[in-house]
Amino acid sequence: MMTRDLTRLLRAKSIAVIGGGSWCESIIQQALKIGFHGSIHPVHPTKSTIHGFDCVASVHDLPTPPDACFIGVNRYATIDVVSQLREIGAGGAICFASGFSEAFAEDETSADLQSSLLDSAGDMPIIGPNCYGYINYLDRVALWPDQHGGQPVDSGVAIITQSSNIAINLTMQRRGVPIAYVVTAGNQAQISLSTIGEHLLSDPRVTALGLHIEGIIDLPEFQQLAATAKALGKAIVALKVGKSERAQSATISHTASLAGSDASARALFTRLGIAQVDSLPQMLEALKILHCVGSLASNSIVSMSCSGGEASLVADCALAYDVTFPSLNETQKTNLSNALGPMVALSNPLDYHTYIWGNASEMTATFRAMLEPHIGLGLLVLDVPRADICDQSAWIDGMRCVIDARDQTNVPMAILATLPENMPEDLARILIDNKIIPLLGIDDALAAISAVSKLGQLEGNGQPVLAGKAPTKTQTLAENLSKQLLNDFGVSVPKSTSSAHINALAAMAQNIGFPVALKGQGVAHKTEAGAVVLNLTDGSAVETAAKSMLCDDFLIEEMIIDSIAELLIGVTLDPAHGYCMTIAAGGVLSELLTDSATITLPTRSQDIAAAISQLKINKVLSGYRGKPAANQQAIIDAALSLQNYVIANAGRVTEIEINPLICTPTRAIAADALIILGEKDD
């Protein structure tokens, strides 16, 4: 894999703008607006000037090889321009034109155009095509053909998105987030989002990285990005879109629908130590936390406000997120009583009433009393009055008390505005300069806290994710063959036999021993199709059940009579995120309950145990209301055996499911199995 240095492109001292339309003129306008002090050279065959700058007729007429170029011509001309820029030794280019591989569904020739573009670029870095470019607020460099709302900073967070319009929107935020870079990746023809992210993280002025991801095109590169972030001690926050696409298209097994792209993406991000959020506001709030204080030590928080209504609102909203409000310890209670007196009920969240409002020493003492070392973050709920018709001075004094309390305890502190508009941008910036986190909106703030607090708790799995291309010529194996293959890898299966002759079934069942289960083979969802009958106690019952099934081949199995619970354990190949294992409530409960956990492969015993512990059905597995417990080690062993089969057949297996895995006090038995295999696509 070729490594390209993006320094000249992203920290340019000279810019060339190729093309003469309004987009190209806007490039020059935005470069001047941000304060770019380098040289700017428009290139156009007929125009003499663009926005007051003298034009040269062609790339070969440029006085020196430019560091960064914006190519604002059509897709066909773009290929020629890229070739010329490479010939003269340019530092890199932004390819603005669309109509390359991202347009393949409408124009099959677009893929060939993209191949030609890559050939023309050679080892010269190009970002895009179909992208706006970038803004470097640290060095005051912009190759950006539109308005933006950011301002130069000395340090800040970097943001990469595949959507140019979302990038514009993010620059317009008024939340106080100091943005160091905004880069649009386009269709990532040559340089992936991951490669751009590695370069940005290597800049010591960048404190954290935010990613808006439509799709991961190179899983090994993405894993390398995560490893680089970890090595540098910097965190990544990701917003992954496209939650329902795979779930909607999955029709063969329950596993595929349970482990849709969102579940597999979350499993991947957890494995790689990346904080995942569900909205752009959550991403911005999380980036603020990381910029100000880094990863939180825990999800234990204290909340303070002078209103019982605010305290209750914070507590109620927190139920939707993985945050905790620890009960006050004796030290906190004593110090709070000394600061507040006997009239205030002490709790967390705390309503400290208005008795101390305006008294700086007592407010500082109250805030300090809540900030014990076991607290991951302290919150002060504070909505600042609007400046045009109100006096903000008392609220600004309260902010100073927060700073003093933080300085005396070294516990991270945030000021939370219940409404985003109640935290003015100028005050948010002042707070950030003082390493106090200005959080906007209760739900977004708590979601961000929850996401960031997980970063310090993730142990991580250092092994590369098991990846693979989707195989070709796939076929679904019969149940008995699927179970035989899994049994060869250590998965326990029931005693069984199969036949296509109804009149032979009774004797075969007698040999296995009653009661038995009868199944029709070649049916994916047997229960729904009426192709499974349980607890048959004699030969006549077996023959009657067989005649009711619309199949020509039958499987007879021993009945497992000491079942405690049923699980589903399956693996799917997600080309973007690798092989993922889903563990869920099994049998008919697979559809009735939203009860599943997904982990990436290869996995470990402790990861499987942790996934099982997350399930609602784990209460039954652990022995509910005096009932026997299932043998959880047998469940883990079954999952590891299933994994071993997948590893041995990586690139061939696209989907595999055990459902149900019958869990007993002594065993975990695969009562049904499905394997989809194909030919490896090399």
Side-chain angles (χ1 to χ4, degrees), residues 332-410:
Q332 288 170 308
K333 290 178 181 177
T334 298
N335 292 335
L336 284 171
S337 294
N338 292 337
L340 295 172
M343 300 295 290
V344 176
L346 304 181
S347 63
N348 181 26
L350 174 69
D351 169 17
Y352 60 81
H353 295 246
T354 56
Y355 306 124
I356 60 172
W357 185 252
N359 186 319
S361 62
E362 291 184 355
M363 290 177 71
T364 301
T366 298
F367 304 156
R368 184 182 62 225
M370 292 287 280
L371 302 179
E372 285 289 291
H374 66 282
I375 299 301
L377 180 69
L379 292 177
L380 176 67
V381 181
L382 197 68
D383 285 69
V384 180
R386 49 190 294 172
D388 54 347
I389 56 175
C390 300
D391 181 2
Q392 299 177 335
S393 57
W395 283 259
I396 294 173
D397 290 341
M399 292 179 178
R400 294 193 181 100
C401 296
V402 169
I403 296 171
D404 290 341
R406 188 278 317 277
D407 290 344
Q408 294 172 29
T409 63
N410 289 321

Side-chain angles (χ1 to χ4, degrees), residues 23 80 219 253 596 681:
W23 295 109
D80 292 333
L219 185 54
S253 76
S596 65
D681 183 7

Side-chain angles (χ1 to χ4, degrees), residues 15 34 173 200 211 249 291 310 378 410 424 468 522 525 538 575 601 615 649 679:
I15 292 173
I34 204 171
Q173 58 86 26
L200 299 183
L211 302 176
S249 64
H291 175 77
E310 291 172 342
N410 289 321
H525 299 298
D538 56 48
L601 301 187
L615 302 177
N649 292 276
E679 295 181 5

Side-chain angles (χ1 to χ4, degrees), residues 71-202:
I71 304 175
V73 297
N74 68 56
R75 58 180 178 164
Y76 300 101
T78 293
I79 295 171
D80 292 333
V81 170
V82 165
S83 180
Q84 295 167 27
L85 290 171
R86 183 195 65 185
E87 290 172 3
I88 68 171
I94 304 299
C95 296
F96 180 62
S98 59
F100 291 86
S101 66
E102 81 284 351
F104 182 77
E106 292 77 27
D107 180 3
E108 293 185 1
T109 65
S110 60
D112 293 333
L113 282 174
Q114 182 146 307
S115 296
S116 298
L117 177 67
L118 293 175
D119 290 341
S120 295
D123 59 359
M124 184 186 75
I126 57 171
I127 295 178
N130 190 29
C131 78
Y132 260 28
Y134 73 86
I135 309 167
N136 174 351
Y137 291 108
L138 296 167
D139 301 303
R140 300 182 180 233
V141 185
L143 261 71
W144 192 258
D146 208 333
Q147 298 186 84
H148 63 89
Q151 299 179 35
V153 295
D154 294 325
S155 68
V157 303
I159 297 174
I160 309 172
T161 172
Q162 292 173 246
S163 166
S164 298
N165 209 53
I166 284 179
I168 295 173
N169 298 341
L170 288 170
T171 71
M172 300 297 176
Q173 58 86 26
R174 300 182 185 180
R175 296 168 175 260
V177 182
I179 298 177
Y181 290 93
V182 171
V183 183
T184 58
N187 75 10
Q188 306 176 79
Q190 183 204 71
I191 297 176
S192 68
L193 174 149
S194 303
T195 300
I196 297 170
E198 279 203 76
H199 180 86
L200 299 183
L201 285 172
S202 69

Side-chain angles (χ1 to χ4, degrees), residues 401-464:
C401 296
V402 169
I403 296 171
D404 290 341
R406 188 278 317 277
D407 290 344
Q408 294 172 29
T409 63
N410 289 321
V411 174
M413 274 291 293
I415 292 179
L416 170 60
T418 60
L419 298 177
E421 58 267 29
N422 291 355
M423 174 61 72
E425 186 178 11
D426 59 336
L427 293 182
R429 288 179 177 169
I430 292 172
L431 290 173
I432 287 174
D433 288 343
N434 286 276
K435 302 302 180 184
I436 301 294
I437 312 158
L439 295 175
L440 281 66
I442 296 176
D443 278 291
D444 291 334
L446 292 172
I449 293 168
S450 176
V452 170
S453 66
K454 288 182 174 68
L455 292 172
Q457 304 167 30
L458 295 174
E459 177 188 344
N461 184 333
Q463 303 177 76

